[in-house]
Amino acid sequence: VPLAQEDHRTLTLPKVRGLVVPAWQARDIDELTAFIDTHTQKDEPVFMFPELGGYSFVVDRPFVSRFPMVTFSWINENWHKELVKDLRYIQPRFVILAKDPGPTFEKAYFKIPSNKQHYDEVMHYIHDHYVIVDSTPSLIIYKRREGRPDRIS
């Protein structure tokens, strides 16, 4: 039985009710959901990066672009440009970033140099336009800085 030997919890949030996850992940989901529910409107996009698109579903917030997982946009240069344009246009108030995307993330994605460039471009954008306001055990929550307008080209 998966998770039988690990501390686990059954989620009660409407979109994931009944899902059994490790206790640490349940805490992450609970804390993130509480933050998002308190600080955003139901129809307000929140940028989940780099592979956190599933959290948009869990917290019931729209995606910033048509790419729920940012890494999907790396398949095609024009798709990445579209994602960045959408990010700059929408200027979401909050960004959720994985503290550690996992041991295989760099090995799997950064073998292709353009993927690393795309990742770095988005990270620079986040660092230039956002400031850390909170965190959960595995996520960093950023809020958009005041007075940092984007130049949309």
Side-chain angles (χ1 to χ4, degrees):
V1 177
L3 301 176
Q5 304 302 316
E6 189 175 342
D7 189 18
H8 60 277
R9 278 197 18 230
T10 302
L11 299 177
T12 58
L13 295 168
K15 291 216 172 188
V16 290
R17 182 171 285 122
L19 186 66
V20 178
V21 299
W24 68 265
Q25 189 174 30
R27 181 177 166 208
D28 248 1
I29 290 169
D30 289 345
E31 290 178 18
L32 179 61
T33 302
F35 182 92
I36 295 297
D37 285 349
T38 302
H39 295 89
T40 67
Q41 299 298 313
K42 199 80 163 151
D43 61 347
E44 183 177 349
V46 176
F47 187 54
M48 308 285 184
F49 186 73
E51 292 198 300
L52 300 176
Y55 281 101
S56 292
F57 173 79
V58 172
V59 301
D60 198 19
R61 294 300 183 272
F63 306 124
V64 167
S65 80
R66 70 179 170 127
F67 303 100
M69 306 287 251
V70 172
T71 53
F72 292 173
S73 75
W74 299 349
I75 294 170
N76 178 296
E77 185 64 31
N78 289 328
W79 292 355
H80 173 72
K81 288 177 183 177
E82 176 186 332
L83 175 124
V84 171
K85 183 178 178 183
D86 291 344
L87 181 58
R88 289 178 178 276
Y89 178 77
I90 292 175
Q91 300 181 22
R93 278 194 307 144
F94 295 99
V95 170
I96 311 303
L97 180 73
K99 287 180 181 176
D100 177 4
T104 59
F105 183 82
E106 288 185 19
K107 291 177 189 172
Y109 289 109
F110 295 169
K111 285 183 179 181
I112 300 170
S114 63
N115 289 351
K116 174 71 165 114
Q117 292 167 351
H118 296 329
Y119 176 87
D120 288 345
E121 180 182 3
V122 174
M123 285 301 298
H124 289 301
Y125 179 84
I126 292 169
H127 289 139
D128 284 350
H129 293 86
Y130 293 83
V131 61
I132 296 172
V133 292
D134 209 340
S135 68
T136 72
S138 73
L139 304 169
I140 302 169
I141 302 171
Y142 288 82
K143 184 177 181 189
R144 188 161 180 88
R145 295 176 195 250
E146 300 291 326
R148 296 291 273 206
D150 283 342
R151 297 188 204 298
I152 300 171
S153 46

